Amino acid sequence: MNSADTFSSSCQSCLYHQWEEECVMYNPVSGETHLLEATAAKILITIAAAPTRYDQLSLLLQEELDDVPETEIDEYICTTLQKLQDMHLISATGK
């Protein structure tokens, strides 16, 4: 994944409930329910609201996690985006 990748989601109709550190996300289109940790849910909700570039997600998390090194944030984003793609919650397009 690179900063030119844009992610979109069909989860605009997904229902979710979030607690402090985790979120349950129900996708009525697929009928599947997913347990996500809070930051992964924030990424998914952001992408579901509007197509989002990788670099936008990186900036968003850097602002929230200012005490975490940028390399760790990028590793987390890559891993999380891949998991969300594997769950068919998001899709990527390169530009």
Side-chain angles (χ1 to χ4, degrees):
M1 287 179 216
N2 64 55
S3 61
D5 288 342
T6 299
F7 299 88
S8 58
S9 176
S10 60
C11 276
Q12 294 85 2
S13 62
C14 287
L15 305 172
Y16 66 93
H17 184 81
Q18 188 165 343
W19 294 269
E20 289 181 27
E21 296 299 320
E22 60 188 10
C23 176
V24 174
M25 177 84 54
Y26 172 70
N27 185 345
V29 175
S30 68
E32 295 181 341
T33 301
H34 306 279
L35 179 63
L36 304 171
E37 55 87 24
T39 305
K42 182 173 188 70
I43 290 172
L44 177 57
I45 291 165
T46 299
I47 294 170
T52 309
R53 290 188 328 267
Y54 179 94
D55 58 344
Q56 292 172 307
L57 293 170
S58 181
L59 287 174
L60 175 71
L61 291 188
Q62 286 174 33
E63 290 172 0
E64 284 193 16
L65 307 170
D66 59 352
D67 59 334
V68 177
E70 187 176 338
T71 55
E72 286 183 35
I73 291 172
D74 284 338
E75 287 175 22
Y76 176 82
I77 292 171
C78 283
T79 301
T80 301
L81 291 172
Q82 187 60 55
K83 287 179 182 177
L84 293 173
Q85 287 181 77
D86 292 347
M87 290 187 270
H88 306 286
L89 294 172
I90 65 170
S91 59
T93 55
K95 295 255 176 168

